[in-house]
Amino acid sequence: MKKMELIAPCHFGLEAVLKREILDLGYDISEVEDGRVGFWGDAEAICRANIFLRTAERVLLKVGSFKATSYEELFENTRALDWENYIPENGKFWVAKAASVKSKLFSPSDIQSVMKKAMVRRMQQKYQVEWFSEDGAAYPVRVFLKKDVVTVGIDTSGVSLHKRGYREVSGKAPITETLAAALIMLTPWHKDRILVDPFCGSGTFPIEAAMIAANIAPGMNRSFTAEEWTNLIPKKLWYETVNEANELINDDIEVDIQGYDVDGSVIKIARRNAREAGVDHLIHFQERDVKDLSHPKKYGFIITNPPYGERLEDKKDLPALYKAFGESFKNLDSWSAYMITSYEDAERYFGRKADRNRKIYNGMLKTYFYQFLGPKPPKAGRPSDRQEKK
């Protein structure tokens, strides 16, 4: 099959996690930039990337890239692209989103308008028609401008890939599924280790962990825009990819994954979401305050998204909350804790300086992923005081 360049956008700061996922799927990387990873693949790769990637926001089919510092250049270079190779005569096409960073052209609406006109002009010439019905499959275009370089792609995913299909209802200030999966994958957690989220909200961390443990592909229970692109992707490839995903599932496993929240109403939502994801049998949810956090076993993991003070709590409530969290953590022998928060005094009130932290943008909000590392479990009965490594 024909090789194409695909682009997978992701959260800023998590490009390395997505790159590893793409390599694990068997595809070659073309480039890594802030907030996106490019790779080479065929039509089947579009199906597999959408269904299997846990940390990508969407998958774009790259049409081309060029430099443009004026709208005339933007028009001419857009018209020069081979749109007819991707969009059939009856295809519905529009520029769904334009983003510009450090470029002379910066108005999204003007960029969208000029590019649409250029696409129409190109296809009028190629299809020898004056008017397009646009009553066929959808081909939404997304464009990024960075330092006057324009990168153009057609969105194969449609709704963002963080919409797995299991979370119809969310608690307040939820973390996205793609970000939760990426943060779990940044830790050394494995399905044979304990995982607890003491601020689980609608259950995203425990559910994503359970899906990883059971090898459930995140895109199995949703649809994608490119499913209708029969001119580029045979329908059978989608069915074959879903069958591949089904064969890889192993949910008959023993795991210790727990989610707690002080709000009983969101625990009900978390249980419902876990049922929708098919992992409710793998997670124990419980209404519990963080000050009551405990576990009899050693070498467990906490991965959590505690309140920031942006939407969930007043800032004045946060010192006591983080202090209670830190006190509970001290009583967990040999555990490691990972938390994402924008709260600037998190370490101070948690009572310990993080061994590592990583800056990550959660939407437009700058957050830090604090890593408090405990010792590794001993191997072959020999005690070890070495700390967890990524």
Side-chain angles (χ1 to χ4, degrees):
M1 285 185 186
K2 180 187 170 188
K3 278 283 179 76
M4 301 170 278
E5 190 171 5
L6 305 172
I7 303 169
C10 63
H11 281 273
F12 284 92
L14 296 172
E15 298 84 2
V17 184
L18 176 56
K19 178 184 175 182
R20 188 168 70 238
E21 272 203 284
I22 292 168
L23 290 170
D24 287 346
L25 277 182
Y27 302 114
D28 294 328
I29 303 297
S30 57
E31 63 177 352
V32 179
E33 294 191 74
D34 288 346
R36 63 183 194 261
V37 180
F39 62 104
W40 298 102
D42 53 15
E44 183 186 57
I46 293 175
C47 306
R48 296 185 74 235
N50 274 296
I51 288 172
F52 285 107
L53 291 178
R54 298 185 189 277
T55 64
E57 293 301 307
R58 57 185 70 247
V59 178
L60 308 178
L61 170 54
K62 185 176 177 180
V63 179
S65 63
F66 51 83
K67 188 166 186 178
T69 57
S70 68
Y71 286 110
E72 183 180 359
E73 270 189 299
L74 180 67
F75 181 91
E76 293 301 333
N77 286 323
T78 300
R79 187 172 68 167
L81 297 174
D82 299 327
W83 292 105
E84 67 279 1
N85 290 347
Y86 306 98
I87 303 174
E89 187 176 334
N90 71 335
K92 181 181 179 182
F93 58 96
W94 72 103
V95 182
K97 186 171 182 181
S100 178
V101 177
K102 297 179 181 175
S103 298
K104 290 184 176 63
L105 305 180
F106 57 84
S107 166
S109 58
D110 289 338
I111 293 165
Q112 289 167 297
S113 176
V114 167
M115 291 186 70
K116 169 75 177 189
K117 287 175 186 172
M119 292 167 67
V120 169
R121 191 71 57 83
R122 168 80 184 201
M123 290 196 286
Q124 281 176 334
Q125 178 188 352
K126 292 296 177 178
Y127 288 122
Q128 295 293 297
V129 296
E130 286 299 312
W131 180 81
F132 295 100
S133 63
E134 296 199 48
D135 56 0
Y139 295 80
V141 174
R142 297 175 81 93
V143 56
F144 315 97
L145 283 77
K146 184 176 181 183
K147 295 181 180 177
D148 300 321
V149 174
V150 184
T151 303
V152 186
I154 307 176
D155 182 10
T156 74
S157 305
V159 175
S160 173
L161 293 180
H162 81 266
K163 298 278 191 181
R164 315 287 207 214
Y166 67 73
R167 196 171 73 176
E168 297 302 316
V169 183
S170 297
K172 289 179 281 185
I175 193 166
T176 66
E177 293 88 331
T178 46
L179 180 54
L183 294 178
I184 292 166
M185 292 163 72
L186 271 175
T187 78
W189 178 78
H190 186 265
K191 64 185 177 184
D192 63 355
R193 306 281 292 275
I194 304 154
L195 188 149
V196 174
D197 180 357
F199 302 99
C200 74
S202 55
T204 310
F205 272 126
I207 292 169
E208 290 294 319
M211 290 177 71
I212 291 169
N215 210 18
I216 297 173
M220 282 186 62
N221 297 312
R222 53 158 289 169
S223 58
F224 308 96
T225 296
E227 288 180 55
E228 303 305 316
W229 296 1
T230 50
N231 61 316
L232 296 175
I233 307 172
K235 281 275 191 186
K236 69 169 188 173
L237 290 182
W238 291 102
Y239 296 126
E240 288 171 359
T241 304
V242 170
N243 287 339
E244 178 190 358
N246 268 313
E247 288 171 5
L248 291 171
I249 293 173
N250 178 21
D251 63 354
D252 184 22
I253 52 176
E254 292 289 330
V255 292
D256 189 344
I257 300 172
Q258 303 183 31
Y260 306 142
D261 202 282
V262 72
D263 186 343
S265 64
V266 299
I267 288 294
K268 289 179 182 176
I269 292 169
R271 289 192 179 116
R272 187 186 321 157
N273 291 341
R275 280 197 301 274
E276 289 295 319
V279 293
D280 53 311
H281 63 297
L282 299 176
I283 307 169
H284 172 68
F285 287 111
Q286 186 179 351
E287 181 180 342
R288 185 188 287 194
D289 195 297
V290 69
K291 66 182 174 59
D292 300 319
L293 172 63
S294 64
H295 199 289
K297 293 183 181 176
K298 299 172 69 168
Y299 306 111
F301 283 77
I302 293 171
I303 306 177
T304 193
N305 173 39
Y308 301 168
E310 314 294 329
R311 290 166 287 178
L312 281 172
E313 305 272 343
D314 292 325
K315 290 280 189 188
K316 62 181 173 56
D317 297 324
L318 295 182
L321 185 81
Y322 280 78
K323 186 176 180 183
F325 182 19
E327 290 297 323
S328 293
F329 178 63
K330 281 180 191 174
N331 295 324
L332 290 167
D333 185 19
S334 305
W335 279 50
S336 297
Y338 299 80
M339 67 172 163
I340 181 170
T341 181
S342 67
Y343 182 45
E344 61 276 8
D345 288 325
E347 290 172 297
R348 175 185 170 191
Y349 289 108
F350 190 73
R352 175 176 162 181
K353 184 169 175 56
D355 297 287
R356 299 179 188 144
N357 72 58
R358 189 182 190 115
K359 184 165 65 175
I360 293 166
Y361 280 87
N362 186 2
M364 297 303 293
L365 185 65
K366 183 171 72 173
T367 64
Y368 288 91
F369 190 44
Y370 293 102
Q371 304 170 50
F372 304 93
L373 308 178
K376 284 185 177 181
K379 289 186 177 179
R382 291 178 300 176
S384 170
D385 59 359
R386 289 176 300 164
Q387 291 188 315
E388 296 281 9
K389 301 292 183 187
K390 274 197 283 186

